[in-house]
Amino acid sequence: MWVITVYANENTTMFEFDTEEEAREAFMKIPGCTILTEVVYFNDPCFA
């Protein structure tokens, strides 16, 4: 899971994405101070 955190106009908003590609595409279009984060769950079988 990918998360974009946006700090704009004294508000914090978070957006979740399933793929890195769609997250990076949105990341480039969102105004304000943005942080792109990958969330990794260690109990997810694909990472075991």
Side-chain angles (χ1 to χ4, degrees):
M1 174 173 62
W2 291 82
V3 176
I4 296 176
T5 306
V6 182
Y7 301 101
N9 302 325
E10 298 184 21
N11 293 316
T12 303
T13 308
M14 299 177 79
F15 301 94
E16 294 183 6
F17 299 90
D18 291 324
T19 66
E20 179 180 3
E21 182 179 326
E22 64 183 345
R24 289 194 181 275
E25 185 177 312
F27 182 76
M28 300 303 290
K29 296 178 183 177
I30 297 174
C33 181
T34 56
I35 300 170
L36 178 61
T37 308
E38 181 180 16
V39 178
V40 177
Y41 295 104
F42 290 105
N43 61 348
D44 192 339
C46 72
F47 295 111

